[in-house]
Amino acid sequence: MSAGAASRFAALEAAVAALEEVEPDLPGSTPEDLTLRARDVLERASRRRELGAARTAVALAGATGTGKSSLFNALLGGEHASVGVRRPTTSAPVAGVVGEDGEAAALLDWLGVENRVLLEPRGTAAGLDGLVLLDLPDVDSVELEHGRSVDRLAEVVDVFVWVVDPEKYADNLLHRRYLRPMATHAEVTLVALNRFDILKEADRALVVADLRRLLAEDGLPGVPVLATCARTGEGVAQLRERLATIVRGRAAAEARLEADAQAAGRALLACYDSEPPPGVGSAQRRVLTSAIAEAAGVDAVAEAVGASYRMRARSQTGWPPTRWLARLRPDPLRRLGLVRADADPDLTRSSRPGPTPVQRARVASAVRRLGHAAGEGASEPWRTAIRAAAAAAAEDLTDALDRAIVATPLAEPAPPRWWAAGRAAQRLLLVTALAGLAWLAVLAAVGYLQLPELPLPHLGTVPWPTALTLGGALAGVLLALLARLLAGVGAARRARTARRRLAEAVTGVADVVVLPVDGAVERCRRVVAAARQAAAD
């Protein structure tokens, strides 16, 4: 296979593969069998290459009465195909095989042609060794099976010889159904203007010129037009020599397959050609991220992180006689179901309040704008596919958002060290106050029982029991106040950290929408680029 043909088939394969990925997102936008036809071209090409290039299948096709069978006999020499006045005469394809059967049998089995005539490459057939010439039924036959047979073989033969005559060369069925759809197959197409003898000398050039004009309108300019007459032999030798040249070149099968790939590429472009869509821009991503962050309650969760830190710090470093009050309040993070740092996000759900209707509307609006902007400038059906990708992905946002929040580490894995120091200091101060209070109780009991007074040391002018009691209590309260200040600073820092982590998590959640949209955009670009390469002249 030539480098050009290999490149075209590779491009068509890439286009079909990319299209099959995105086609479920394109309901009703294109013919349902478009990719199937392209895939059939690739499979047919693979099978034809397996059969080899030693044999070239050439089909004589045309309308009723144009003399296909007569031309078939004239080219091969002898009466091999039935010729008669009753139409249609050819009811089934007839194959004239020149040379050793060999690969021809496998080729004809693949073509589904049972009527075969084996000829030696001598005499009239000299120089045609390797030719498999097919006489097809009439394209305008009243028998439906004849038309189906022609349609089937028109998709697989290597070379077409369209046989027309001065009376039917402008037949609309022939041009509309066969010639125009095969505009990419000019390299493997010949036209035989048969029964040329019925024209007057003065009209011959005019008819040939008009036929060339119609072929140019069909997209086949420059296709060889040979004037023939099977009855008189005029032009038959020239047509035979053309076929001999094609057979000797052994390139017709590859040229036909390459033309099929080009036609399939053009068919894809007819439905899918587009300017490259821009994809998701940074502005649309920011808007979506902002809307998701608001719906997730990032600020509320960050505030809960700070409040939880302050509450736990107070329960550890507060004045012991009063800090038990802090334990009566529910932990804000626990209330949201976000306490456990080792929670499995796939199995755990938070207790955050759901987004409000306004927040949901903002997210939905941001998703729609993102989908519209990502497909801006693209043709249908790509705009629809890109928007559909955004809308489908948005349905998973709620669960993805909750999983991201649960998976975000919010609570500290271990309490700060100063909590332990504060707790130890508070215990020491409490013991000091209790010791002073007990001393005062002993003194009170001694006085009540009128026992001898005990020695009472003083700290300056203040008795030691009183100093211990008041000093321990006052120092504990002051330490609690200092710890509260430190807890406020730590809470603010942890709230900022939580807000940053949550923002990163929300950005990852935005990818739930962004990645499928970018994927649809990338598939659009791949399909269009590959189809353009396959369809290129």
Side-chain angles (χ1 to χ4, degrees):
M1 182 186 296
S2 68
S7 175
R8 193 183 300 278
F9 276 103
L12 182 60
E13 177 71 34
V16 172
L19 188 55
E20 286 175 340
E21 292 179 27
V22 77
E23 209 166 25
D25 295 330
L26 307 173
S29 300
T30 56
E32 293 181 0
D33 61 345
L34 189 58
T35 51
L36 295 178
R37 293 202 303 269
R39 182 64 70 185
D40 182 60
V41 168
L42 295 169
E43 293 175 356
R44 189 165 64 241
S46 176
R47 178 57 181 151
R48 181 63 184 91
R49 287 195 295 269
E50 290 176 359
L51 294 171
R55 292 285 174 175
T56 302
V58 179
L60 298 179
T64 305
T66 56
K68 298 186 307 302
S69 299
S70 298
L71 191 58
F72 178 88
N73 292 332
L75 288 169
L76 298 179
E79 296 296 322
H80 307 296
S82 300
V83 180
V85 295
R86 184 177 61 84
R87 307 298 181 194
T89 300
T90 305
S91 59
V94 178
V97 181
V98 181
E100 293 295 330
D101 189 26
E103 293 181 2
L107 177 60
L108 288 171
D109 287 342
W110 181 60
L111 295 175
V113 177
E114 298 180 357
N115 300 328
R116 308 171 187 183
V117 178
L118 302 182
L119 302 170
E120 295 292 330
R122 60 190 179 189
T124 303
L128 296 177
D129 191 8
L131 173 66
V132 178
L133 187 64
L134 304 177
D135 180 19
L136 303 188
D138 301 327
V139 299
D140 57 351
S141 173
V142 295
E143 298 289 339
L144 295 179
E145 185 58 35
H146 294 181
R148 285 193 285 267
S149 178
V150 173
D151 291 344
R152 178 178 58 82
L153 288 169
E155 293 184 347
V156 290
V157 296
D158 302 326
V159 178
F160 306 91
V161 178
W162 296 102
V163 183
V164 298
D165 67 9
E167 295 175 344
K168 290 188 175 182
Y169 71 86
D171 181 71
N172 181 60
L173 175 66
L174 175 67
H175 288 268
R176 173 180 51 81
R177 186 170 178 177
Y178 296 100
L179 292 174
R180 289 173 195 164
M182 305 196 71
T184 57
H185 294 66
E187 189 176 349
V188 291
T189 300
L190 302 172
V191 176
L193 181 56
N194 200 31
R195 299 178 63 216
F196 201 57
D197 58 319
I198 69 175
L199 290 173
K200 297 179 181 179
E201 286 290 338
D203 296 333
R204 290 187 173 187
L206 294 176
V207 171
V208 171
D210 193 47
L211 176 56
R212 293 185 188 279
R213 177 187 62 80
L214 291 174
L215 291 172
E217 291 177 356
D218 292 335
L220 295 166
V223 166
V225 176
L226 292 87
T228 62
C229 179
R231 185 178 63 83
T232 65
E234 180 181 0
V236 175
Q238 288 79 4
L239 177 57
R240 187 184 298 116
E241 182 55 34
R242 286 265 188 173
L243 296 181
T245 301
I246 292 172
V247 171
R248 286 194 299 269
R250 295 191 174 186
E254 181 177 312
R256 163 64 203 260
L257 296 176
E258 187 176 357
D260 285 347
Q262 184 181 30
R266 289 186 176 182
L268 292 177
L269 278 181
C271 289
Y272 295 111
D273 198 13
S274 173
E275 292 301 317
V280 179
S282 57
Q284 289 78 34
R285 186 178 187 123
R286 282 196 302 271
V287 171
L288 177 62
T289 302
S290 175
I292 294 175
E294 182 181 344
V298 167
D299 291 337
V301 174
E303 290 175 3
V305 169
S308 174
Y309 181 88
R310 285 193 298 271
M311 188 196 75
R312 288 183 293 119
R314 193 174 304 168
S315 69
Q316 294 293 318
T317 62
W319 177 231
T322 59
R323 69 186 182 193
W324 62 273
L325 294 172
R327 296 192 179 97
L328 298 179
R329 301 174 183 173
D331 188 311
L333 283 182
R334 188 179 300 279
R335 190 171 60 247
L336 296 177
L338 300 173
V339 172
R340 292 184 56 193
D342 60 344
D344 187 342
D346 292 326
L347 302 176
T348 307
R349 289 294 176 264
S350 71
S351 303
R352 297 177 304 108
T356 66
V358 173
Q359 290 170 338
R360 286 196 296 268
R362 280 198 61 197
V363 173
S365 176
V367 170
R368 283 195 302 272
R369 289 202 300 271
L370 184 144
H372 279 266
E376 188 68 29
S379 63
E380 289 292 351
W382 294 115
R383 289 198 302 272
T384 298
I386 293 169
R387 294 168 187 168
E395 296 177 0
D396 298 328
L397 273 180
T398 301
D399 285 343
L401 187 57
D402 202 68
R403 288 195 299 270
I405 297 298
V406 170
T408 302
L410 299 176
E412 293 294 333
R417 293 179 180 177
W418 71 266
W419 285 10
R423 183 170 59 251
Q426 287 285 23
R427 287 176 179 173
L428 180 59
L429 293 174
L430 177 62
V431 170
T432 299
L434 290 177
L437 191 60
W439 195 345
L440 290 175
V442 170
L443 292 176
V446 168
Y448 179 77
L449 297 175
Q450 296 182 359
L451 297 175
E453 290 186 4
L454 297 176
L456 185 62
H458 286 70
L459 178 63
T461 60
V462 180
W464 267 104
T466 303
L468 292 175
T469 302
L470 296 179
L474 181 59
V477 172
L478 291 176
L479 181 59
L481 292 176
L482 176 61
R484 180 173 294 190
L485 291 176
L486 293 175
V489 173
R493 184 170 67 252
R494 281 156 180 77
R496 288 194 299 270
T497 300
R499 188 175 285 104
R500 175 177 54 78
R501 291 175 179 174
L502 290 169
E504 293 172 354
V506 167
T507 301
V509 172
D511 286 340
V512 171
V513 175
V514 172
L515 293 180
V517 171
D518 278 342
V521 169
E522 178 59 25
R523 285 191 292 272
C524 167
R525 293 170 178 169
R526 281 165 42 206
V527 169
V528 173
R532 285 180 178 177
Q533 184 179 352
D537 290 329

